[in-house]
Amino acid sequence: MAAVADGGAVTSWARQGGSEAWSNAAGDGGAGSVTLAHAATPTGNAAVDFPGTARLGLPAAANPVNGESAFAVAMVLRADAAGAGTDGQWFNNTGLLDAEEAGSTNDWGLALPASGKPAIGIGNTDTTAYAPGASIADGQWHVVVATWDGSEV
């Protein structure tokens, strides 16, 4: 990835373990203006800012967990506000990292509802699990780790 200036647009992000890249292309699910903030984290690292409904997308054919029998995903995030939706299925909430596809498919996602408690969801059959405890929509940095062992989230 080419160097991006502080506040500069992030138009693509290389996918670890694959040749495809997340992008802001509308055809791949991207939208809005995603930017890079230098020295944004408590340890001085850069962070990608997804304001409002801005997002990077990846073609469905490049889903990194397609065909997997188990996986884990981790992210470091700071939520300045809670998401939208109730503690129902993950795909009805604000997506944090999402591979939702229409219909009964092997899709998945991490989401943040209005309660501020992160969730992981798996499709086919739809299952969603919410983290216990308090909301993480508090303007502080949090590590979110979610796992699916092939039968439980």
PDB file of all heavy atoms in Angstrom, residues 3-33:
ATOM      1  N   ALA A   3       2.052   5.076   0.697  1.00  0.00           N
ATOM      2  CA  ALA A   3       1.956   5.915   1.891  1.00  0.00           C
ATOM      3  C   ALA A   3       0.736   6.833   1.778  1.00  0.00           C
ATOM      4  O   ALA A   3       0.452   7.380   0.715  1.00  0.00           O
ATOM      5  CB  ALA A   3       3.222   6.741   2.046  1.00  0.00           C
ATOM      6  N   VAL A   4       0.021   6.971   2.874  1.00  0.00           N
ATOM      7  CA  VAL A   4      -1.162   7.827   2.916  1.00  0.00           C
ATOM      8  C   VAL A   4      -0.894   8.922   3.933  1.00  0.00           C
ATOM      9  O   VAL A   4      -0.528   8.651   5.073  1.00  0.00           O
ATOM     10  CB  VAL A   4      -2.423   7.027   3.300  1.00  0.00           C
ATOM     11  CG1 VAL A   4      -3.633   7.936   3.429  1.00  0.00           C
ATOM     12  CG2 VAL A   4      -2.682   5.910   2.288  1.00  0.00           C
ATOM     13  N   ALA A   5      -1.086  10.159   3.528  1.00  0.00           N
ATOM     14  CA  ALA A   5      -0.856  11.308   4.400  1.00  0.00           C
ATOM     15  C   ALA A   5      -1.879  11.330   5.533  1.00  0.00           C
ATOM     16  O   ALA A   5      -2.966  10.761   5.421  1.00  0.00           O
ATOM     17  CB  ALA A   5      -0.959  12.605   3.595  1.00  0.00           C
ATOM     18  N   ASP A   6      -1.531  11.965   6.619  1.00  0.00           N
ATOM     19  CA  ASP A   6      -2.445  12.145   7.739  1.00  0.00           C
ATOM     20  C   ASP A   6      -3.712  12.832   7.230  1.00  0.00           C
ATOM     21  O   ASP A   6      -3.645  13.888   6.608  1.00  0.00           O
ATOM     22  CB  ASP A   6      -1.782  12.986   8.828  1.00  0.00           C
ATOM     23  CG  ASP A   6      -2.579  13.012  10.120  1.00  0.00           C
ATOM     24  OD1 ASP A   6      -3.352  12.060  10.361  1.00  0.00           O
ATOM     25  OD2 ASP A   6      -2.409  13.967  10.890  1.00  0.00           O
ATOM     26  N   GLY A   7      -4.863  12.214   7.438  1.00  0.00           N
ATOM     27  CA  GLY A   7      -6.126  12.759   6.954  1.00  0.00           C
ATOM     28  C   GLY A   7      -6.414  12.407   5.509  1.00  0.00           C
ATOM     29  O   GLY A   7      -7.455  12.773   4.976  1.00  0.00           O
ATOM     30  N   GLY A   8      -5.495  11.683   4.864  1.00  0.00           N
ATOM     31  CA  GLY A   8      -5.667  11.314   3.469  1.00  0.00           C
ATOM     32  C   GLY A   8      -6.668  10.190   3.281  1.00  0.00           C
ATOM     33  O   GLY A   8      -6.945   9.409   4.193  1.00  0.00           O
ATOM     34  N   ALA A   9      -7.191  10.087   2.065  1.00  0.00           N
ATOM     35  CA  ALA A   9      -8.175   9.063   1.732  1.00  0.00           C
ATOM     36  C   ALA A   9      -7.538   7.686   1.675  1.00  0.00           C
ATOM     37  O   ALA A   9      -6.443   7.510   1.136  1.00  0.00           O
ATOM     38  CB  ALA A   9      -8.830   9.385   0.393  1.00  0.00           C
ATOM     39  N   VAL A  10      -8.221   6.713   2.245  1.00  0.00           N
ATOM     40  CA  VAL A  10      -7.831   5.305   2.136  1.00  0.00           C
ATOM     41  C   VAL A  10      -8.785   4.696   1.109  1.00  0.00           C
ATOM     42  O   VAL A  10      -9.969   4.533   1.382  1.00  0.00           O
ATOM     43  CB  VAL A  10      -7.945   4.568   3.491  1.00  0.00           C
ATOM     44  CG1 VAL A  10      -7.645   3.089   3.327  1.00  0.00           C
ATOM     45  CG2 VAL A  10      -7.032   5.204   4.519  1.00  0.00           C
ATOM     46  N   THR A  11      -8.270   4.387  -0.067  1.00  0.00           N
ATOM     47  CA  THR A  11      -9.119   3.857  -1.137  1.00  0.00           C
ATOM     48  C   THR A  11      -9.018   2.347  -1.267  1.00  0.00           C
ATOM     49  O   THR A  11      -9.856   1.729  -1.907  1.00  0.00           O
ATOM     50  CB  THR A  11      -8.771   4.513  -2.483  1.00  0.00           C
ATOM     51  OG1 THR A  11      -7.391   4.280  -2.761  1.00  0.00           O
ATOM     52  CG2 THR A  11      -9.054   6.015  -2.431  1.00  0.00           C
ATOM     53  N   SER A  12      -7.988   1.748  -0.676  1.00  0.00           N
ATOM     54  CA  SER A  12      -7.874   0.286  -0.672  1.00  0.00           C
ATOM     55  C   SER A  12      -7.006  -0.154   0.501  1.00  0.00           C
ATOM     56  O   SER A  12      -6.206   0.622   1.023  1.00  0.00           O
ATOM     57  CB  SER A  12      -7.289  -0.233  -1.988  1.00  0.00           C
ATOM     58  OG  SER A  12      -5.943   0.162  -2.118  1.00  0.00           O
ATOM     59  N   TRP A  13      -7.194  -1.413   0.910  1.00  0.00           N
ATOM     60  CA  TRP A  13      -6.449  -1.984   2.021  1.00  0.00           C
ATOM     61  C   TRP A  13      -6.198  -3.452   1.688  1.00  0.00           C
ATOM     62  O   TRP A  13      -7.146  -4.213   1.486  1.00  0.00           O
ATOM     63  CB  TRP A  13      -7.267  -1.868   3.307  1.00  0.00           C
ATOM     64  CG  TRP A  13      -6.480  -2.097   4.549  1.00  0.00           C
ATOM     65  CD1 TRP A  13      -6.242  -3.310   5.149  1.00  0.00           C
ATOM     66  CD2 TRP A  13      -5.813  -1.126   5.346  1.00  0.00           C
ATOM     67  NE1 TRP A  13      -5.476  -3.127   6.264  1.00  0.00           N
ATOM     68  CE2 TRP A  13      -5.197  -1.791   6.411  1.00  0.00           C
ATOM     69  CE3 TRP A  13      -5.697   0.260   5.254  1.00  0.00           C
ATOM     70  CZ2 TRP A  13      -4.466  -1.132   7.380  1.00  0.00           C
ATOM     71  CZ3 TRP A  13      -4.964   0.914   6.220  1.00  0.00           C
ATOM     72  CH2 TRP A  13      -4.357   0.228   7.267  1.00  0.00           C
ATOM     73  N   ALA A  14      -4.933  -3.847   1.622  1.00  0.00           N
ATOM     74  CA  ALA A  14      -4.597  -5.220   1.244  1.00  0.00           C
ATOM     75  C   ALA A  14      -5.173  -6.216   2.234  1.00  0.00           C
ATOM     76  O   ALA A  14      -5.089  -6.007   3.441  1.00  0.00           O
ATOM     77  CB  ALA A  14      -3.090  -5.382   1.156  1.00  0.00           C
ATOM     78  N   ARG A  15      -5.762  -7.278   1.711  1.00  0.00           N
ATOM     79  CA  ARG A  15      -6.334  -8.329   2.556  1.00  0.00           C
ATOM     80  C   ARG A  15      -5.238  -9.321   2.910  1.00  0.00           C
ATOM     81  O   ARG A  15      -4.590  -9.889   2.040  1.00  0.00           O
ATOM     82  CB  ARG A  15      -7.460  -9.055   1.822  1.00  0.00           C
ATOM     83  CG  ARG A  15      -8.039 -10.206   2.616  1.00  0.00           C
ATOM     84  CD  ARG A  15      -9.254 -10.800   1.927  1.00  0.00           C
ATOM     85  NE  ARG A  15      -8.943 -11.750   0.892  1.00  0.00           N
ATOM     86  CZ  ARG A  15      -8.675 -13.033   1.091  1.00  0.00           C
ATOM     87  NH1 ARG A  15      -8.635 -13.521   2.318  1.00  0.00           N
ATOM     88  NH2 ARG A  15      -8.440 -13.832   0.084  1.00  0.00           N
ATOM     89  N   GLN A  16      -5.025  -9.534   4.199  1.00  0.00           N
ATOM     90  CA  GLN A  16      -4.025 -10.486   4.657  1.00  0.00           C
ATOM     91  C   GLN A  16      -4.428 -11.890   4.232  1.00  0.00           C
ATOM     92  O   GLN A  16      -5.559 -12.307   4.415  1.00  0.00           O
ATOM     93  CB  GLN A  16      -3.883 -10.425   6.171  1.00  0.00           C
ATOM     94  CG  GLN A  16      -2.797 -11.317   6.708  1.00  0.00           C
ATOM     95  CD  GLN A  16      -2.651 -11.184   8.219  1.00  0.00           C
ATOM     96  OE1 GLN A  16      -3.407 -10.497   8.877  1.00  0.00           O
ATOM     97  NE2 GLN A  16      -1.665 -11.853   8.755  1.00  0.00           N
ATOM     98  N   GLY A  17      -3.502 -12.613   3.628  1.00  0.00           N
ATOM     99  CA  GLY A  17      -3.773 -13.981   3.220  1.00  0.00           C
ATOM    100  C   GLY A  17      -4.458 -14.103   1.875  1.00  0.00           C
ATOM    101  O   GLY A  17      -4.908 -15.176   1.501  1.00  0.00           O
ATOM    102  N   GLY A  18      -4.541 -13.024   1.126  1.00  0.00           N
ATOM    103  CA  GLY A  18      -5.186 -13.079  -0.189  1.00  0.00           C
ATOM    104  C   GLY A  18      -4.643 -11.998  -1.093  1.00  0.00           C
ATOM    105  O   GLY A  18      -3.962 -11.084  -0.654  1.00  0.00           O
ATOM    106  N   SER A  19      -4.941 -12.115  -2.364  1.00  0.00           N
ATOM    107  CA  SER A  19      -4.432 -11.136  -3.313  1.00  0.00           C
ATOM    108  C   SER A  19      -5.390  -9.960  -3.506  1.00  0.00           C
ATOM    109  O   SER A  19      -5.016  -8.935  -4.053  1.00  0.00           O
ATOM    110  CB  SER A  19      -4.175 -11.813  -4.670  1.00  0.00           C
ATOM    111  OG  SER A  19      -5.382 -12.381  -5.160  1.00  0.00           O
ATOM    112  N   GLU A  20      -6.642 -10.105  -3.069  1.00  0.00           N
ATOM    113  CA  GLU A  20      -7.617  -9.044  -3.221  1.00  0.00           C
ATOM    114  C   GLU A  20      -7.402  -7.954  -2.166  1.00  0.00           C
ATOM    115  O   GLU A  20      -6.742  -8.169  -1.175  1.00  0.00           O
ATOM    116  CB  GLU A  20      -9.050  -9.584  -3.076  1.00  0.00           C
ATOM    117  CG  GLU A  20      -9.381 -10.744  -3.970  1.00  0.00           C
ATOM    118  CD  GLU A  20      -8.953 -12.070  -3.368  1.00  0.00           C
ATOM    119  OE1 GLU A  20      -8.444 -12.112  -2.229  1.00  0.00           O
ATOM    120  OE2 GLU A  20      -9.122 -13.084  -4.049  1.00  0.00           O
ATOM    121  N   ALA A  21      -8.001  -6.800  -2.400  1.00  0.00           N
ATOM    122  CA  ALA A  21      -7.914  -5.706  -1.436  1.00  0.00           C
ATOM    123  C   ALA A  21      -9.309  -5.187  -1.131  1.00  0.00           C
ATOM    124  O   ALA A  21     -10.178  -5.153  -2.006  1.00  0.00           O
ATOM    125  CB  ALA A  21      -7.056  -4.577  -1.987  1.00  0.00           C
ATOM    126  N   TRP A  22      -9.524  -4.801   0.128  1.00  0.00           N
ATOM    127  CA  TRP A  22     -10.736  -4.065   0.489  1.00  0.00           C
ATOM    128  C   TRP A  22     -10.647  -2.739  -0.253  1.00  0.00           C
ATOM    129  O   TRP A  22      -9.570  -2.158  -0.365  1.00  0.00           O
ATOM    130  CB  TRP A  22     -10.776  -3.819   1.996  1.00  0.00           C
ATOM    131  CG  TRP A  22     -10.841  -5.074   2.820  1.00  0.00           C
ATOM    132  CD1 TRP A  22      -9.792  -5.868   3.187  1.00  0.00           C
ATOM    133  CD2 TRP A  22     -12.003  -5.668   3.369  1.00  0.00           C
ATOM    134  NE1 TRP A  22     -10.236  -6.924   3.935  1.00  0.00           N
ATOM    135  CE2 TRP A  22     -11.594  -6.832   4.066  1.00  0.00           C
ATOM    136  CE3 TRP A  22     -13.354  -5.341   3.348  1.00  0.00           C
ATOM    137  CZ2 TRP A  22     -12.485  -7.653   4.725  1.00  0.00           C
ATOM    138  CZ3 TRP A  22     -14.236  -6.168   4.013  1.00  0.00           C
ATOM    139  CH2 TRP A  22     -13.813  -7.302   4.693  1.00  0.00           C
ATOM    140  N   SER A  23     -11.768  -2.233  -0.764  1.00  0.00           N
ATOM    141  CA  SER A  23     -11.712  -0.990  -1.520  1.00  0.00           C
ATOM    142  C   SER A  23     -12.948  -0.141  -1.260  1.00  0.00           C
ATOM    143  O   SER A  23     -13.919  -0.595  -0.681  1.00  0.00           O
ATOM    144  CB  SER A  23     -11.591  -1.277  -3.027  1.00  0.00           C
ATOM    145  OG  SER A  23     -12.846  -1.662  -3.556  1.00  0.00           O
ATOM    146  N   ASN A  24     -12.877   1.101  -1.746  1.00  0.00           N
ATOM    147  CA  ASN A  24     -14.030   1.979  -1.610  1.00  0.00           C
ATOM    148  C   ASN A  24     -14.939   1.903  -2.837  1.00  0.00           C
ATOM    149  O   ASN A  24     -15.820   2.725  -3.011  1.00  0.00           O
ATOM    150  CB  ASN A  24     -13.598   3.418  -1.321  1.00  0.00           C
ATOM    151  CG  ASN A  24     -12.814   4.040  -2.454  1.00  0.00           C
ATOM    152  OD1 ASN A  24     -12.380   3.349  -3.379  1.00  0.00           O
ATOM    153  ND2 ASN A  24     -12.601   5.341  -2.385  1.00  0.00           N
ATOM    154  N   ALA A  25     -14.736   0.895  -3.695  1.00  0.00           N
ATOM    155  CA  ALA A  25     -15.558   0.710  -4.887  1.00  0.00           C
ATOM    156  C   ALA A  25     -16.989   0.337  -4.492  1.00  0.00           C
ATOM    157  O   ALA A  25     -17.204  -0.620  -3.744  1.00  0.00           O
ATOM    158  CB  ALA A  25     -14.961  -0.375  -5.775  1.00  0.00           C
ATOM    159  N   ALA A  26     -17.959   1.093  -4.999  1.00  0.00           N
ATOM    160  CA  ALA A  26     -19.358   0.842  -4.665  1.00  0.00           C
ATOM    161  C   ALA A  26     -19.789  -0.562  -5.075  1.00  0.00           C
ATOM    162  O   ALA A  26     -20.566  -1.210  -4.364  1.00  0.00           O
ATOM    163  CB  ALA A  26     -20.247   1.884  -5.331  1.00  0.00           C
ATOM    164  N   GLY A  27     -19.276  -1.086  -6.171  1.00  0.00           N
ATOM    165  CA  GLY A  27     -19.639  -2.425  -6.629  1.00  0.00           C
ATOM    166  C   GLY A  27     -19.203  -3.520  -5.676  1.00  0.00           C
ATOM    167  O   GLY A  27     -19.735  -4.623  -5.701  1.00  0.00           O
ATOM    168  N   ASP A  28     -18.233  -3.229  -4.822  1.00  0.00           N
ATOM    169  CA  ASP A  28     -17.755  -4.195  -3.837  1.00  0.00           C
ATOM    170  C   ASP A  28     -18.289  -3.899  -2.442  1.00  0.00           C
ATOM    171  O   ASP A  28     -17.853  -4.495  -1.468  1.00  0.00           O
ATOM    172  CB  ASP A  28     -16.224  -4.212  -3.796  1.00  0.00           C
ATOM    173  CG  ASP A  28     -15.622  -4.775  -5.070  1.00  0.00           C
ATOM    174  OD1 ASP A  28     -16.311  -5.548  -5.771  1.00  0.00           O
ATOM    175  OD2 ASP A  28     -14.468  -4.437  -5.367  1.00  0.00           O
ATOM    176  N   GLY A  29     -19.202  -2.944  -2.327  1.00  0.00           N
ATOM    177  CA  GLY A  29     -19.790  -2.612  -1.038  1.00  0.00           C
ATOM    178  C   GLY A  29     -19.172  -1.405  -0.360  1.00  0.00           C
ATOM    179  O   GLY A  29     -19.586  -1.025   0.724  1.00  0.00           O
ATOM    180  N   GLY A  30     -18.180  -0.774  -0.977  1.00  0.00           N
ATOM    181  CA  GLY A  30     -17.554   0.410  -0.395  1.00  0.00           C
ATOM    182  C   GLY A  30     -18.452   1.628  -0.511  1.00  0.00           C
ATOM    183  O   GLY A  30     -19.299   1.710  -1.399  1.00  0.00           O
ATOM    184  N   ALA A  31     -18.275   2.584   0.390  1.00  0.00           N
ATOM    185  CA  ALA A  31     -19.070   3.814   0.358  1.00  0.00           C
ATOM    186  C   ALA A  31     -18.396   4.881   1.204  1.00  0.00           C
ATOM    187  O   ALA A  31     -17.689   4.573   2.165  1.00  0.00           O
ATOM    188  CB  ALA A  31     -20.485   3.560   0.881  1.00  0.00           C
ATOM    189  N   GLY A  32     -18.630   6.118   0.866  1.00  0.00           N
ATOM    190  CA  GLY A  32     -18.157   7.232   1.681  1.00  0.00           C
ATOM    191  C   GLY A  32     -16.660   7.442   1.606  1.00  0.00           C
ATOM    192  O   GLY A  32     -15.969   6.891   0.759  1.00  0.00           O
ATOM    193  N   SER A  33     -16.165   8.258   2.514  1.00  0.00           N
ATOM    194  CA  SER A  33     -14.762   8.638   2.546  1.00  0.00           C
ATOM    195  C   SER A  33     -14.096   8.117   3.812  1.00  0.00           C
ATOM    196  O   SER A  33     -14.365   8.585   4.906  1.00  0.00           O
ATOM    197  CB  SER A  33     -14.638  10.167   2.477  1.00  0.00           C
ATOM    198  OG  SER A  33     -13.282  10.537   2.482  1.00  0.00           O
TER     199      SER A  33
END
